[in-house]
Amino acid sequence: MKTQVAIIGGGPSGLLLARLLQTRGIESVVLERKTKAYVLGRIRAGVLEQGLVSLMEQAGCADRLHAEGIIHDGTLISYGDEMFRINFTEHAGKPVMVYGQTEVTRDLYSALEQSSAPIVFNAEDVVIQNADTDKPHVTYVVDGKANHIDCEFVAGCDGFHGVSRQTIPIEVRREYEKVYPFGWLGILSETPPVNHELIYANSPRGFALCSMRNENLSRYYIQCSLNDKPENWSDDAFWHELKRRIPADQANKLVTGPSIEKTIAPLRSFVTEPMRWGRLFLCGDAAHIVPPTGAKGLNTAASDVHYLYNGLRDYYENQSSEGIDTYSAKALSRVWKAERFSWWFSSLMHSYPDQSKFDQKMQIAELEFLRSNKAAQQAMAENYVGLPY
């Protein structure tokens, strides 16, 4: 097989890149290690920046997003029984969109399949060869049969545990990581959200988040120990603990019900540099991880796709390599700002095992400053809705 861009990973970033390239007549092949059903079964983020919405529009995949997505003009932050609102449209001039990552992926699959774009599922033993030359190729196995793709570029969109980052020699990579001393226990329930906007809660008992996927599907999280297990938590125990971490007036109107999913996710911040090696480019979780507190994971992957798509388009349409040559620097500049915001917001909202009484007082002081200071609210709003590309 021969193509212009081999894309490793059939999640949202790989699919979005493939679809955008397709709109410009640039050929690609997507290799996904799992099945389509497995990819669509992953319940992930649900807050989209306008930059990602715009990319979906460019890809011709935004009709359902606009019909079913929920526009959020702000978010709520609580500490104890106190609660205040950050107004995104007032302070940053634009809202965010609540629309599940699974639905973004579904829309992209639909568009690519309707146009018969090549997507290979169950691609195992993927190896990226000669990425540091002008003739890279990719080998992989499906159903025991070896396959080979000659390509001009490789986009590594295969996540933190994928092969793409590991293909870059260790002596070339510089990696930065912070592992947080807690996780998030999350449940999904077919219940109406407790509030029409997200609630981020700082509580002496630990962080909590009240989120949603739609008007009848809610997503709730509570901070937990890294050693905890989902099976240690009954639904009743989860609901009881959540109510203790959010303001009483919100807890009183919380609609509970059976969970349809229950998981624990560890939190980490991670960045690898550079995001390009020869003709291999890293996108999304292959290059960086953020704690989910700031809703930046999927959105930062989208900004990578924006830079790479435009660089490849300029290469093929204008015979200019400037976009791909500056890809890593441009992407990393924005990535580090998203990492800073996610780290700051996580530090503000969570209880830490080694936290002193002084540290707790500092958290409350910063929350009260954020509540009362318009400049602080503007800075948060601008970061939350997404910095410009």
Side-chain angles (χ1 to χ4, degrees):
M1 193 184 301
K2 189 172 184 179
T3 192
Q4 290 171 301
V5 184
I7 299 174
I8 317 300
S13 57
L15 298 174
L16 179 58
L17 178 61
R19 177 59 181 165
L20 288 167
L21 293 174
Q22 185 184 54
T23 66
R24 310 300 297 196
I26 301 168
E27 297 176 354
S28 70
V29 176
V30 177
L31 301 180
E32 168 53 44
R33 187 167 60 94
K34 299 290 189 178
T35 64
K36 178 183 174 183
Y38 180 91
V39 175
L40 291 174
R42 294 186 294 214
I43 305 297
R44 297 285 175 83
V47 177
L48 312 186
E49 297 174 358
Q50 287 301 312
L52 175 49
V53 173
S54 176
L55 288 172
M56 290 291 284
E57 290 169 349
Q58 292 177 51
C61 299
D63 289 352
R64 198 163 68 93
L65 186 157
H66 285 303
E68 300 178 14
I70 306 169
I71 293 174
H72 277 204
D73 292 306
T75 195
L76 299 163
I77 297 177
S78 74
Y79 53 106
D81 273 336
E82 301 292 326
M83 190 162 72
F84 63 97
R85 183 173 186 264
I86 304 291
N87 188 318
F88 299 149
T89 50
E90 176 187 341
H91 293 299
K94 53 189 173 184
V96 294
M97 177 81 78
V98 172
Y99 187 71
Q101 176 174 321
T102 303
E103 304 311 310
V104 170
T105 307
R106 196 185 309 278
D107 294 340
L108 291 165
Y109 270 137
S110 177
L112 288 165
E113 289 168 351
Q114 285 176 23
S115 59
S116 301
I119 304 174
V120 180
F121 294 101
N122 296 308
E124 300 179 324
D125 301 326
V126 174
V127 180
I128 302 166
Q129 308 272 11
N130 299 334
D132 57 340
T133 74
D134 60 359
K135 292 185 178 179
H137 65 270
V138 178
T139 59
Y140 62 98
V141 176
V142 175
D143 296 331
K145 181 183 177 183
N147 296 268
H148 180 113
I149 300 178
D150 288 316
C151 56
E152 296 169 357
F153 298 99
V154 181
C157 306
D158 51 348
F160 183 78
H161 299 289
V163 302
S164 297
R165 185 177 73 257
Q166 303 301 327
T167 298
I168 301 177
I170 188 65
E171 62 270 18
V172 175
R173 282 183 277 137
R174 299 183 301 278
E175 297 187 345
Y176 307 86
E177 184 175 37
K178 175 181 176 60
V179 177
Y180 295 82
F182 42 73
W184 279 17
L185 170 65
I187 72 164
L188 197 66
S189 64
E190 292 176 325
T191 55
V194 66
N195 195 289
H196 69 281
E197 292 185 332
L198 272 64
I199 301 174
Y200 289 88
N202 174 306
S203 156
R205 300 186 62 83
F207 170 78
L209 171 60
C210 302
S211 182
M212 75 282 292
R213 291 296 173 266
N214 58 51
E215 293 177 355
N216 292 296
L217 190 62
S218 297
R219 187 80 159 142
Y220 295 104
Y221 300 93
I222 57 173
Q223 177 184 344
C224 66
S225 165
L226 282 172
N227 299 319
D228 218 334
K229 292 185 169 71
E231 53 267 29
N232 294 341
W233 289 83
S234 67
D235 289 350
D236 286 345
F238 178 92
W239 293 121
H240 179 69
E241 184 60 32
L242 176 65
K243 287 180 178 180
R244 299 178 74 179
R245 300 189 187 193
I246 61 177
D249 62 328
Q250 301 297 315
N252 290 337
K253 64 180 184 178
L254 179 69
V255 178
T256 64
S259 64
I260 57 176
E261 188 208 48
K262 192 181 293 174
T263 56
I264 290 180
L267 274 65
R268 63 152 54 92
S269 298
F270 174 86
V271 180
T272 189
E273 297 181 346
M275 287 173 58
R276 177 196 181 184
W277 183 61
R279 294 205 165 197
L280 167 63
F281 302 86
L282 303 181
C283 274
D285 288 1
H288 43 78
I289 301 286
V290 290
T293 323
K296 288 285 159 272
L298 174 60
N299 291 299
T300 309
S303 69
D304 295 345
V305 170
H306 162 82
Y307 294 122
L308 183 53
Y309 159 61
N310 282 288
L312 291 170
R313 187 180 71 171
D314 207 29
Y315 177 86
Y316 284 111
E317 294 182 357
N318 302 313
Q319 291 73 55
S320 170
S321 64
E322 182 182 356
I324 58 176
D325 290 341
T326 58
Y327 165 73
S328 181
K330 285 181 177 178
L332 282 166
S333 177
R334 194 176 188 279
V335 162
W336 277 113
K337 294 180 180 73
E339 292 279 349
R340 184 212 67 83
F341 174 69
S342 299
W343 161 82
W344 168 80
F345 201 25
S346 298
S347 301
L348 180 64
M349 300 306 296
H350 290 83
S351 297
Y352 285 73
D354 60 350
Q355 199 169 35
S356 67
K357 296 292 185 182
F358 178 86
D359 296 331
Q360 293 170 6
K361 287 287 189 180
M362 286 299 98
Q363 271 190 336
I364 299 304
E366 184 153 5
L367 284 161
E368 291 181 344
F369 178 73
L370 182 61
R371 178 177 187 163
S372 61
N373 187 276
K374 287 188 176 181
Q377 291 183 14
Q378 180 178 346
M380 180 185 167
E382 288 178 353
N383 279 274
Y384 196 96
V385 303
L387 298 174
Y389 290 166

